[in-house]
Amino acid sequence: MIPKRKFDLSEDDFERFRKIIDQASGIFFDRSKWELLRLGLTDRAEATDAKSLSDYYEKITSAADGEDELRCLLDHLSVQETQFFRNLPQFDALRKYVIPEIARRKKNGHRSIRLWSAGCSTGQEPYSLAMAALDVLPDPGSWNIQILGTDLNQQALAIAEKGWYPEKRLIGIDRSHRENYFRPLDGGFVVTEPVRRMVHFSRHNMVNDPLPMSIFGTCDVVFCRNVIIYFTHNTAKYVIEHFFDIMNPGGYLFLGHSETLWKMSAKYSLVEMGDAFIYKKSLPRSIEGRRFIPDRRIREAPLPTSVHEDRRVKISRRDVTGVEELIHKQEEQFPSKNAGTVSEEPNVQKGRSFLELGEYDKACECLAEAVKQDGSNAELFFLQGLALEKANRPDDASESYRKAIYCDENYSIAYFHMASVLERSGRLKAAVREYRNAARSLRNDQSGRWGNYLDSYDMESVINLCEWKIENLASLEE
């Protein structure tokens, strides 16, 4: 066996590769995934006989077949683990609440139910959706049930299309489902034809391809689990907006157990269904006694740099021409006479303004200068943490939030942001600890203290979100 060559990934190559991958797919490799990216690039570089990773970069950007190889690279980097009925509480919510509710709403009209599995990998999720619908609809034959499974990975889709799985891949399938929806074939099991007819598979890039309305129309349920965690914040916001556009009023969005729309979209409401939390479009204040966490203000998500064309309906946005104009607006929003705010010296003003404009590196520079002038102000460290977090510097952001808390141990919102950064960095045990600190501190805090930083959420909503995170992440602690 020929040993693998070790290809070094230089700083310049790392930046070039992650930029082109982000532009092509929305997948963003932060520095914590440096080795993972290097290994994936090494595999494809060897497969194409490239002499180095720089040589491989030239192949995918200059060669005639570069686009085909870029697609192969994306397939290689986007392989995801999946299984049938993964995260059972969510499927329990789907069967107990969601599908029956949609069926009641449509029983006297167009009896059609559409579900989209975005990021379906090798097909277990969309087939699980089909089985869930057949489980609970009293007369499924009278319904037009359509399920769309999409993924970036063409090889995964080929497996999904066949619907054949070895027995070890039937994790999550109980005896009744195996007997009703599978048949033995070639040493494994294949999904039965009635179930397969309900599911259509298609390659789809959530970031750069148009919404699949031409092949699917609008839908009632979107499953997109453990996908947006691979995107930058702005790209994830953009994708979430598109889900909203394709969903029917009252439709449901299922995310991964550790994913949240916090500071990403205020167009959805969070509803508790049994042991699961699901997002709903145009949710009323209350229904059937279940608890809702309302998002009250709708904001337009900015178009990320990795997207070449905005496919949403254009909405006029404020015209911000420069930092000086925004500084005046910030002075009105954050008057220095308010208790607990930073004295608005020029670097702080400019830092706030660059944050608002999305110029995060410049915001970091200004706020770093401000910190040199005043190293004991909790809010100043918190603002620096926000800038560093937005600039994809999670370790530095966490340290700034920690300094804010050191300056003021009751600075509740810093606990919450530090927990969020730790969670995204994979440090779940530390994240759970800080979510607990955030919930405790926020309960004892003044209700209106953090209005400038909560966007569309109220204090109770943030505390509820902390409790949800604690419950869902605690089981994953290392």
Side-chain angles (χ1 to χ4, degrees), residues 179-247:
E179 292 175 351
N180 292 331
Y181 303 125
F182 291 84
R183 61 180 178 84
L185 179 68
D186 297 335
F189 292 85
V190 65
V191 180
T192 58
E193 191 60 30
V195 176
R196 292 175 64 189
R197 280 199 300 266
M198 296 165 59
V199 184
H200 173 77
F201 292 100
S202 177
R203 187 181 188 277
H204 182 261
N205 186 323
M206 282 183 268
V207 178
N208 291 321
D209 290 343
L211 288 170
M213 290 185 178
S214 60
I215 60 174
F216 191 55
T218 56
C219 62
D220 303 293
V221 176
V222 174
F223 267 63
C224 183
R225 303 187 299 170
N226 305 312
V227 175
I228 64 173
I229 55 175
Y230 295 100
F231 297 157
T232 63
H233 184 73
N234 279 351
T235 300
K237 287 172 69 174
Y238 183 74
V239 169
I240 293 299
E241 289 285 330
H242 279 71
F243 291 154
F244 189 89
D245 291 342
I246 201 173
M247 287 170 59

Side-chain angles (χ1 to χ4, degrees), residues 342-343 345 367-378 380-381:
V342 177
S343 175
E345 61 98 15
L367 292 168
E369 288 299 317
V371 165
K372 290 180 182 179
Q373 302 298 319
D374 183 0
S376 61
N377 192 301
L380 186 51
F381 280 116

